[in-house]
Structure formats: structure tokens, C-alpha cells
Amino acid sequence: MMKISILTLACFFFSGLAGLIYQVVWVRLLDKVMGSAPFAVATVLTVFMGGLALGSYWAGRLIDRDPDRRRLLLLYGRLEGSIGLYGLLIPVLLVMLRPLYALAYRSLFDSLWLYTGTAFLGCVLVLLVPTTLMGATLPILCRFYIEALDHLGRRAGSLYGVNTLGAALGAFLTGFFLVEAVGVWGSICVAAGLNGLVALACFVIGRRGIGVSPERARGPGRAAAREVAAAADAGHHPVWPLWVFAVSGFCAMAYEVFWTRLLGLLLGPTPYSFALVVGTFIVGLAVGAVVFGWVADRAACAGGWLLGTQAGAALSAALVSQVVGGSQFFFAKLIYTFREDFGGMVWAQSAILFALMLGPTIFWGAAFPLVNRLTARSLETVAGSVGKAYAFNTVGAICGSLCAGFVLLPFLGKAAGIRAVSGLQLGVAIVVWLGWAVRSGKRGTFAAGFVGIVMSALVLMHFPAWETRLLSYGRYHNFGTVAADLVRTGWVDALLHGGWLLSRHEEGREVVFFADGPAGFTTVERLVDSLGIERFTLLNSGKPDASSHGDRSTQTLLGHVPLMFHSGAKTVMVLGLASGMTAGEVLHYPVERVDALEINPAVIQAARFFEPWNNGCLEDRRCNVISQDGRNHLALSDERYDVIISEPSNPWMAGLANLYTREFFLIVRESLNDGGIFVQWIHSYEMDWETFAMVGRTFASVFPEGVLFTALTGGGDYLLVGGKDGPLLDYDAAERNLEYAARSRNMTLPDARVLFNLVVAEDLQALFGPGVIHTDDRPLLEFAAPRVLHVVDTTIEERIATRGSITSRTRAVLEEGEESRHMLDLVEFAASVGSPLFGLVDPEGLNASDRARYARILDAYCGKEAISDYTVLPEGILRQECAEGQAELIRAHLDRSPDDAGAWYSLGLALGVAGKEEGELAAFEEAVKLDPLHARAWNNLGIAYMRDGLLDRAENAFLRSVRAAPTHANAYFNLARIQLEKGDLNAAERYLEEGLKEEEHPRARALLEEIRGR
């Protein structure tokens, strides 16, 4: 019997493993025909879970009619085999359904609900059969495995637990290894193979009758069955545990939605982080089912345990949410510590998440064995009771997922939504408890329940509560000035005081728009810079996706490059609205229609904050904003465009790698009219060369005559540009379209040749070389990009510079006219988009007219851009005049905001360049007084003290700088200079070595070698 028990558990473990693989893979397949919009994903999951509920309920009602254990095992084997075969057929079915989806989309895409409803029906046709078969397996195995009611809890809990553990392993495998290693089709084959192995094992054992004789099902447990029936007749009602179980499923699934979204802001919204959260969540459920299965069989009052664990789940989940929501700095420190060790980071995150989630998930997992212990009246009806209970729980889970994603998040937000869900679960548990106390006449129990209500209400009124302003900016990928605090702060302080540390870095930022809905967490931040100019940034899941300042070059060029080179574009599609700046730039041209595809409705609202920069695109009758999946719009609609512009977010964000596959690029090519042009944004930061080259290589496999442009951001933004046919870089068309580009208020484009200066490669295949490409079946980019998120690869720009080549045709355009004039045009354009290239031209070598123009360009730039590095400007009087102008503007801002430490620091920089040494010193002193942890201000103050011969003060300032920022190599270098002034070579060498541990510093390296040479 031991062997058959182990076999049963092993079969159900692998069944759960295969089921989760199917769920992940089917969502991937279906979003290629339904779209990856939130409603589409929710539709897939709803049908999947609905099928499980239907199957468990249906099988539970039928299985009890035939107690023959051999036939039960054979039936289970047939179900597993059928699931495997059907799993292999689903890709074929989707191909067959694609024309129907396309027909529905073309008629209904402008009505989100109608199309979603139609898509739901198609999803039902595809998934209902296999998911129903999956749902049927649990009651069948329960009927087979449970031979007596005195071990019902333990065995039901074990079955549910091992199946759930298998699902957890499936989440980890598909999220981290399987799809990347063998692809989508390979993953389907693995899952089907597991189903086949389970089926084969059941057939072999069932036909031989090893340990599964029919008599074993009829003998044991009849006495226990009579006891349960008598208890039920005595007043036990078997219905209330089912409703409690439904509420438990509702709350557990709602919490999974909340925590997945919340932890996406802390760990990053990557496929890995989602797999991590879901996997650890499921593990806790499995542990709870197994542990409380033993408790259920031994407890004198299973109902009390059920209500107690429900109350425990509600309170512990609220408290855990409070800890998680306030631990952004802690998780940032964790990521920063393991940024060069991805495997170590994953293990550390897994351990911490498991520890955090263990309490509430165990309590949720406890419900299954406890409910089945309460509702099973006899052994002969155990399958029906298990199936019914599982159906109640699954329906509750479906409602919890939908309600959390589409009601609670949009209308209440995460914190209030969590309080509402916890209040529901706790309230139901306490109401049932009080009802039992009233019926039993136990006043003490009633009083205890009332006290519990009051105390719990006090907890849920205050927890969780977070500062939205801090969560709006993700610290999982861009550490910036926070890095110094991450190094300096201990782990306990990071957890307990991280909010205060982060708030220091958020000073001056104001969240002016906030939306937490089905498509994610969207915010707009307003910041007034040191010149007093308003800057707006749009963030999705804590990651900046557009701005009115730093991204201006990329956002404008995405619109102008294809429109300038097209001979007469009339229809344009922009994939990703963001700030609306790109769509607004396109509207300067004589286009007839611009379709802006935006999957997140909140972004459309947020774009209104950028109206001064987006040319009022949302109000222009030619701009048609469509809230659908951009890829599916191209694939399913019959629209054809002259220009298609794709500017999604970074490919390391979950789901966005779909917009960089070969199949997507093929869909784009088919959607272009003759002579059409396609532009794809890509970045080189947060990438290594292999990943960057894979994107370029994939693009070149579809657009072999494509061109790579630089976006001049200085941060590694590039444009991949491909044409359907004909010459791509049409100089005559660019000259004709120059008049439309001149209408832009976001840039100045004096000559069409400027765009030719931005071309860095016209032979993409030679640039990126041979190698793997990113496809729907082998989505390598989806897994590679998150792993290199924290990698700094300085070789990408070097390789582009050495491997990139331009054609003789482009070179001929650039050689026409005076080179100095072309460079001056490029300088003017770059300055207008906030990407200064003043070093390209020596103003002293210009004639009087061009020198005056250069001075005007510089003056305009200095009047609207806060400068943090004056070395980008030419030395001499022009730099000094710019600094004086900046100082005047900063002083005006400080008159309004005298406590702005950053502005005082900027004033010190400007006055130092302008030669106002006394004012420089006073400004830096004011900056460190307002912000004692401003490392750069301390460093610059030390330099000013050194210049005045105040070495002791300078040394103290540099020491304060390295305390504030232990990674600040320049401060260590300056400390070494102080020691050299004092004649202490050993101390100087020590400081240089310390600084070089943190950051490579050429001057420090040279000085260290000089000291050692002495």
C-alpha cells in the first residue's frame, strides 16, 4: 500500500507540474491572437480556472457512483493522456481560430468590452475541454486515495499539497529555465510528456491491479461514515464551510494579484520576478495543505481551526503587506548587493519572499483539508464533496482575481484594496464564529468574538499604509544617488528606516497623477529643477517611460526620422502613446490619420500633462487613440500604414519582449504599404553586447537593408529603421519635408543633413554578425534582458563605432557643402533637444557670422537647461557667460524655494565657473547645511577649501563626502591629495586604493603609480 500511495502522490505532483506549464504556455499562445491587454490575459486565466471548477464539480458528482478503485485509476490515466494529447493540439486549434479572431477584431476593436466578450468565447472553445479534464482529476484521485474518513484530512491535504508543489515547480521551471531552454513548443511537449508518463503508470498499475483491488474501497471507513452522517443529522450544516472556502479562494487570489503588482515595483516587473512571486506563493499554499491535513484528522473542532486560520490569514496578510510595502529600500539594497550575481539574487529573493509569505499562505492552504473534513459525510460521497469544495474555492479565486485587478486596484489602490480584502476574510470568519456562539449559547465565546472584531478593526484601519510617492519611482534598476545610502546602511536599518532614507532622494518630486489599474501602476511626477523650470516624467511600474526633458531627443526623432524620409506619408501608426510627444511630432506633417496604440488606458490620461510638448495630439481629430494590443492590432486588423513607429518600454519588462521578435517584425513588414518605413526604438544601456546584437540581428533578418541611427541622448538610445522597399535614406524627400519639421517646438532641425549625421550603421548584418535571434517560439530576449539589467557594458558603443559603416551615398550627402556648417547645424539640433554637442565645433575657428550663431545657440541652451557639467561647454568667455546666466536663474528660483539644497549646489557650480569664488563657497556651505548627506556638495566644498589653503576644513569636507557616499571615488582622490600636501604618502596611498576599489579613476590610478614609484 505504501508503494501505491507514493505512486499516487508522484502522479499528482507531475500532473500539477504539467498543468502550470500549460497555463503559462497557453497564455503565451493565446495572447498572440487575443492580445496581451489586461482583459485578454484575465480572460485566459478565467477560462482556465473556470474549467478547473467545472471539471471538479462534474467529476465529483459522477465518480461516487463507481467505487471500483481500479477503474478510477484507469480513468485518471485516460484523463491525463487526453490532457496531453489536447495540449499538443491547442497550437493547431489556435491557427484554425485565427481568421475568426481577425474578423471579430476588425469589427469590434474600437469597443473593448464587445471584443473582449467575443475573445472570451473563442478562449472557451480552445481551453474548456482540457481545463475541465484537469479539474476532474482531483476528485477522482481523492476517491481513489482516501480509504477511510479518519485520514481524509491528511490524504486530501497531501494530494492537494503535492499537486500544488508540482505547480510551484512548474512556475519556477517555466519562469527560469524551460521556455528559454526548449522554447514554447518544447515546453508543450515536456508537459504532454509528463501527462503521458502519468497515464502510462496508471494504465500499467491499474490493469495489473497492484494494490488497487475493488474490495479495498468498500471495507474500511464505514463506521466513520456513519459517525459523520449522525453528526450531520445532529445539526452540523455542511454548507457554511463551502462559502468560507470560496471567500478564502477570493482573498488568496486577490492577494496574489496585489502582491505580484507590489513586488513588481520592488523587484522589477520582469518575467523572473513574477515567476518568483507566484512560485513562492504556491509553495506556501502547499505547505499549509499538508500540515493542516494532519491537524484536520486530529482536531476536536475542525470548524474552529478553519475559522481561526481564516482570521490568521487576514491579519497576517495585512501585516506582511505593511512590511513589504515599506521595504522598497531593503529590496533595493538586496538587488544592489547581488547586481553582479543574478543567481545569488534570485536565491536571496526567494528565501526572503518565502519567509514573508509563509504565514498567510499556510493559513490559506489550510482551508482545503479542513473544509473537506467538515463537508464529507461518508466515504461513498467523498469525491462529490471534494469536487464541490474545490469548485467553490476556484470560483471564489476567479472572482478574487477579477475583482482585485479590475475593481479594487483602479478604485481603491493597493493599500486600501488589501485592507478591504483582509476585512472581508476576517469579517466572514468572525460572523460565522459569532453565529456558532449564539446557536450554542456560549456567551464567553460571543464576547471573545466581539473583542476580536474591535481589535482586528483597529489593525485593518491602519495597516497596510504606504507612501505612494516613494513607490511611484522604482529603485530596482536605476540606483542613482541612492547607491551611496545602499552601501552605507545596514540590513536592519534598511528594513526599518528605508522609507525615511528614500524620502531624502524624493525631495522636490511631486506625484501629480496616480493610477493603479488593470494595466499596472502609472504615475506622473513633477519636478522643478534648479532653474525653476517644471519637468514632468511618466512612469509605468516605477520605471520612467517618457519625460518632457531627458527623453526629448528620442521622442522627437522617432517621429521625424521616418516622416522626413518618406515621400508622402498619409497613414501612421505609433505603438505606445507614452507622453504623446512622438504622435504630436508626426502631426506636424500632412498626414491624414495617426493611430496611436496604447495598451494602458491610464497612460492616455497621463499624457494630458504633456500637452505643452505633445502638440495637443489627444485633441487633434487626425489622431485616433486605440486601447488595444499594438501587435495584435497589426496582426488582426486589415489596416496598412505608410509609417509604423514602435516605442514600447524596455524589453526586460514582462510581456514587452513580444514586440522585438522576428514574427513581430514580419507582421510589421506585411502591414506596411509599398515604400513604407518602420522605426523600432532600442537601447544599449542595461544591456550587454550579446543581448543588444540579438535584437539588431533579429531586426536585420526581416529588414536586411535597415539602418541604425543614434538618438543623441548620451544614454544609449538608438533607432532601428527599416523600409519595405526602395532606398531608405531619401535626401530629396528629407529636403522637401524639412518645412514640416520646422514646425516642431521640441527641436530645431536647420538642415536635413543633420539626420544623415545621426546614421551610425547601414550594414546591420555586418554590424551584429551571425548568431541567435529572438522568436516567438524561442523568446531568448525575454530571459536574457532581465539578467543583464544591472550590467554596464561599455563595449557596445565601441563596437558600433568600429563595426558600423555608412554607404557612399550617405557619405556623399555629408560631404556636400562646408563641414563646419554641417557641424554647427548638428550642434544646434542637439542643443535644442537637450543633448549638447558643443565640443564638435571650435568657436574660435568660425567666421564672425557662424561664431555669433554658435553664441546664440549656447545662450538659448543655457537659458532652458540646468547644467551639472560645464565641461560640455567651450572653455573661455562663452562658458563663463553661460555660468553667470545660470546663476542668475538659480538665484531667482531660490528666492521662491530657499530650502532647495540641489539648487544651492547648482549655484555653487555656476559661481565657481563664473569665477565668483566667495559666492561659490557660501553656496556649497548652504547646500550641505540643508542636506548633510549631499556627497558632491561636500566634495566641491572641500575643493573650494583646498583652493583657499584651508586644508583641515578641506579634509573634513572630503571625509564627510565619503561617509555620505562610500562609492564616491573622486572624494578619495581628493583626500589623497590632501595627504600629499601634508607629506603622508602612506595615507595617500591608502585613500587611493580605497577609492579604486569602488570605481576606476584614471587620475587616481596615475597618482597611485606615481606614489608607488617613489
Side-chain angles (χ1 to χ4, degrees):
M1 185 59 195
M2 178 65 71
K3 290 183 179 180
I4 197 66
S5 298
I6 294 173
L7 173 72
T8 304
L9 294 174
C11 286
F12 215 35
F13 175 85
F14 288 114
S15 178
L17 173 59
L20 206 288
I21 293 174
Y22 282 132
Q23 180 178 328
V24 173
V25 171
W26 289 347
V27 169
R28 284 176 175 273
L29 292 174
L30 281 157
D31 76 8
K32 300 299 187 300
V33 292
M34 291 181 59
S36 56
F39 287 100
V41 175
T43 295
V44 174
L45 295 179
T46 299
V47 174
F48 191 96
M49 297 175 70
L52 296 180
L54 178 64
S56 64
Y57 185 78
W58 164 72
R61 291 177 64 86
L62 296 179
I63 296 309
D64 285 326
R65 300 175 185 176
D66 186 0
D68 189 310
R69 299 181 72 243
R70 182 183 300 177
R71 284 199 293 268
L72 288 174
L73 190 61
L74 291 173
L75 175 59
Y76 173 66
R78 284 194 290 271
L79 288 179
E80 287 290 331
S82 300
I83 292 167
L85 290 174
Y86 207 101
L88 293 173
L89 284 175
I90 279 186
V92 179
L93 294 175
L94 289 177
V95 172
M96 296 171 62
L97 279 176
R98 192 177 187 85
L100 296 177
Y101 271 110
L103 180 63
Y105 186 87
R106 291 166 189 171
S107 304
L108 305 171
F109 73 86
D110 56 347
S111 176
L112 182 62
W113 287 105
L114 283 176
Y115 176 68
T116 301
T118 305
F120 179 84
L121 294 177
C123 192
V124 169
L125 290 175
V126 175
L127 293 186
L128 190 61
V129 171
T131 54
T132 300
L133 297 178
M134 289 179 184
T137 58
L138 178 61
I140 290 173
L141 273 191
C142 282
R143 186 68 179 89
F144 170 84
Y145 189 51
I146 299 169
E147 299 181 86
L149 288 183
D150 56 2
H151 63 223
L152 183 149
R154 183 175 71 254
R155 292 208 167 184
S158 297
L159 276 176
Y160 183 79
V162 298
N163 184 257
T164 307
L165 279 175
L169 180 60
F172 287 122
L173 276 178
T174 52
F176 286 90
F177 306 109
L178 197 60
V179 175
E180 181 182 17
V182 300
V184 173
W185 257 106
S187 299
I188 291 175
C189 292
V190 168
L194 290 173
N195 292 136
L197 287 175
V198 171
L200 181 62
C202 292
F203 290 151
V204 169
I205 295 173
R207 292 194 181 282
R208 293 182 179 180
I210 304 173
V212 291
S213 60
E215 293 76 11
R216 294 181 66 92
R218 298 185 174 88
R222 290 186 177 275
R226 285 193 295 271
E227 291 176 10
V228 172
D233 293 337
H236 276 286
H237 199 285
V239 175
W240 69 264
L242 297 176
W243 289 107
V244 170
F245 199 25
V247 171
S248 179
F250 178 97
C251 297
M253 202 60 176
Y255 260 104
E256 184 177 330
V257 171
F258 287 130
W259 285 349
T260 300
R261 295 286 184 83
L262 178 59
L263 286 160
L265 296 172
L266 307 183
L267 306 179
T270 70
Y272 291 117
S273 66
F274 290 141
L276 204 60
V277 174
V278 172
T280 51
F281 191 95
I282 294 175
V283 168
L285 296 178
V287 172
V290 173
V291 170
F292 279 90
W294 290 80
V295 172
D297 289 333
R298 290 162 174 77
C301 181
W305 277 98
L306 175 62
L307 298 178
T309 54
Q310 291 297 294
L315 292 173
S316 61
L319 294 175
V320 166
S321 298
Q322 175 64 35
V323 173
V324 172
S327 60
Q328 185 179 18
F329 187 87
F330 176 84
F331 280 103
K333 180 176 175 65
L334 181 71
I335 294 169
Y336 185 82
T337 302
F338 290 95
R339 64 192 183 280
E340 296 178 358
D341 180 8
F342 183 77
M345 182 191 301
V346 169
W347 281 109
Q349 289 174 344
S350 299
I352 292 169
L353 291 181
F354 183 73
L356 286 171
M357 294 183 185
L358 187 61
T361 51
I362 281 182
F363 288 143
W364 283 316
F368 182 80
L370 290 169
V371 167
N372 282 301
R373 185 65 181 158
L374 288 166
T375 56
R377 291 190 171 190
S378 68
L379 186 64
E380 285 76 8
T381 61
V382 71
S385 63
V386 169
K388 189 175 183 180
Y390 188 64
F392 265 72
N393 180 257
T394 307
V395 171
I398 294 171
C399 295
S401 175
L402 295 176
C403 184
F406 298 107
V407 179
L408 296 178
L409 277 173
F411 293 102
L412 297 181
K414 292 183 183 69
I418 287 173
R419 289 196 295 270
V421 170
S422 295
L424 171 66
Q425 187 168 24
L426 184 65
V428 168
I430 291 177
V431 166
V432 174
W433 178 272
L434 293 177
W436 175 78
V438 169
R439 287 196 303 272
S440 61
K442 296 183 177 180
R443 295 183 179 181
T445 302
F446 184 86
F450 182 77
V451 172
I453 291 177
V454 175
M455 294 180 64
S456 302
L458 290 174
V459 171
L460 296 182
M461 284 174 61
H462 297 92
F463 298 105
W466 317 304
E467 191 171 350
T468 302
R469 181 173 64 97
L470 298 182
L471 288 173
S472 69
Y473 195 94
R475 295 294 181 180
Y476 49 81
H477 73 107
N478 184 11
F479 305 109
T481 56
V482 182
D485 284 338
L486 297 177
V487 173
R488 182 177 54 247
T489 308
W491 290 100
V492 175
D493 283 341
L495 184 62
L496 298 179
H497 308 298
W500 176 82
L501 291 166
L502 277 181
S503 65
R504 289 181 51 251
H505 300 278
E506 295 297 316
E507 289 182 5
R509 295 180 184 271
E510 177 190 2
V511 177
V512 295
F513 175 81
F514 165 85
D516 197 357
F521 187 64
T522 301
T523 55
V524 175
E525 288 187 346
R526 172 184 174 271
L527 173 68
V528 178
D529 68 15
S530 59
L531 301 185
I533 299 173
E534 283 187 323
R535 309 293 193 186
F536 290 89
T537 302
L538 185 150
L539 304 98
N540 282 308
S541 297
K543 188 260 171 192
D545 272 341
S547 69
S548 61
H549 45 291
D551 297 317
R552 195 162 68 245
S553 176
T554 302
Q555 293 169 117
T556 55
L557 283 172
L558 278 164
H560 288 286
V561 166
L563 271 296
M564 285 281 286
F565 287 118
H566 199 284
S567 58
K570 298 300 180 185
T571 55
V572 179
M573 174 184 156
V574 178
L575 195 161
L577 178 68
S579 66
M581 196 180 296
T582 298
E585 295 299 296
V586 170
L587 292 170
H588 288 303
Y589 294 80
V591 296
E592 295 176 356
R593 189 179 82 252
V594 176
D595 287 345
L597 273 292
E598 178 49 61
I599 200 170
N600 184 354
V603 170
I604 302 171
Q605 303 174 52
R608 297 195 178 277
F609 287 88
F610 297 86
E611 287 184 354
W613 298 274
N614 65 25
N615 194 24
C617 65
L618 297 179
E619 307 302 327
D620 194 305
R621 59 178 179 78
R622 295 174 295 163
C623 185
N624 181 30
V625 181
I626 302 172
S627 292
Q628 290 286 357
D629 179 275
R631 170 171 171 158
N632 271 57
H633 178 77
L634 290 172
L636 299 180
S637 73
D638 53 4
E639 297 289 346
R640 295 294 177 267
Y641 298 96
D642 296 318
V643 169
I644 296 175
I645 301 167
S646 178
E647 50 175 331
S649 192
N650 306 63
W652 48 261
M653 298 184 77
L656 291 179
N658 280 334
L659 300 177
Y660 295 88
T661 65
R662 173 177 167 79
E663 288 79 3
F664 171 66
F665 294 146
L666 287 169
I667 292 170
V668 168
R669 188 179 181 92
E670 289 301 312
S671 301
L672 287 171
N673 290 321
D674 292 340
I677 297 177
F678 170 55
V679 182
Q680 173 71 56
W681 169 80
I682 187 59
H683 60 91
S684 64
Y685 55 89
E686 297 168 350
M687 285 261 200
D688 61 1
W689 169 253
E690 288 72 22
T691 308
F692 181 78
M694 178 168 56
V695 176
R697 192 182 301 120
T698 304
F699 182 90
S701 70
V702 178
F703 296 97
E705 296 182 0
V707 178
L708 182 67
F709 283 75
T710 175
L712 281 188
T713 57
D717 288 286
Y718 291 91
L719 311 182
L720 287 162
V721 184
K724 187 165 187 177
D725 48 38
L728 183 61
L729 304 184
D730 188 340
Y731 176 70
D732 293 333
E735 279 285 291
R736 290 193 301 272
N737 289 322
L738 189 60
E739 62 173 300
Y740 307 116
R743 299 174 182 177
S744 174
R745 291 178 293 176
N746 293 314
M747 70 164 194
T748 301
L749 190 66
D751 192 291
R753 289 182 180 85
V754 168
L755 297 182
F756 287 83
N757 275 298
L758 304 182
V759 176
V760 293
E762 290 186 83
D763 188 346
L764 299 185
Q765 292 172 328
L767 172 63
F768 298 117
V772 297
I773 63 173
H774 175 53
T775 66
D776 283 350
D777 184 56
R778 298 297 300 275
L780 302 176
L781 177 65
E782 179 177 333
F783 299 94
R787 284 201 295 265
V788 297
L789 178 57
H790 304 291
V791 169
V792 178
D793 189 346
T794 58
T795 68
I796 295 179
E797 273 67 32
E798 295 173 5
R799 293 183 193 228
I800 292 173
T802 56
R803 295 187 182 185
S805 61
I806 61 175
T807 63
S808 57
R809 185 175 63 251
T810 299
R811 190 172 294 106
V813 171
L814 293 174
E815 290 174 353
E816 291 182 12
E818 298 179 15
E819 182 180 359
S820 61
R821 184 66 59 82
H822 294 333
M823 289 297 100
L824 196 55
D825 290 339
L826 181 57
V827 167
E828 183 171 14
F829 167 76
S832 71
V833 293
S835 302
L837 293 175
F838 291 104
L840 288 177
V841 176
D842 178 8
E844 299 302 320
L846 299 174
N847 59 42
S849 174
D850 286 344
R851 193 181 305 117
R853 180 188 172 195
Y854 184 93
R856 289 195 300 271
I857 296 169
L858 182 59
D859 185 60
Y861 175 79
C862 293
K864 64 180 182 180
E865 299 290 340
I867 299 173
S868 59
D869 181 7
Y870 285 88
T871 61
V872 302
L873 308 180
E875 294 184 7
I877 188 64
L878 291 177
R879 182 187 291 183
Q880 184 177 339
E881 289 177 349
C882 177
E884 290 173 351
Q886 289 262 304
E888 184 178 343
L889 293 170
I890 295 169
R891 282 197 179 99
H893 166 63
L894 286 171
D895 287 341
R896 300 184 296 271
S897 304
D899 295 331
D900 189 341
W904 281 107
Y905 169 70
S906 297
L907 179 61
L909 291 178
L911 292 174
V913 174
K916 310 287 179 61
E917 296 178 356
E918 184 177 343
E920 173 196 15
L921 190 65
F924 287 138
E925 287 177 334
E926 187 65 24
V928 297
K929 186 172 78 172
L930 291 169
D931 183 1
L933 295 178
H934 198 311
R936 294 190 180 277
W938 278 114
N939 185 65
N940 283 68
L941 180 60
I943 294 172
Y945 283 144
M946 275 187 72
R947 182 192 60 223
D948 294 344
L950 305 172
L951 296 187
D952 289 338
R953 289 190 183 185
E955 183 176 11
N956 179 63
F958 293 138
L959 287 171
R960 293 291 298 268
S961 180
V962 296
R963 287 194 203 108
T967 59
H968 195 190
N970 203 41
Y972 286 107
F973 172 69
N974 288 323
L975 276 169
R977 291 170 60 202
I978 290 283
Q979 302 312 311
L980 287 177
E981 289 280 345
K982 293 182 175 182
D984 190 342
L985 295 181
N986 291 331
E989 182 178 10
R990 188 169 61 252
Y991 280 128
L992 290 170
E993 289 174 343
E994 190 69 26
L996 288 168
K997 288 179 185 176
E998 304 298 338
E999 180 185 346
E1000 185 57 40
H1001 191 293
R1003 292 169 64 198
R1005 178 71 64 186
L1007 184 58
L1008 180 61
E1009 292 174 0
E1010 179 185 337
I1011 292 172
R1012 287 174 175 172
R1014 295 183 186 180

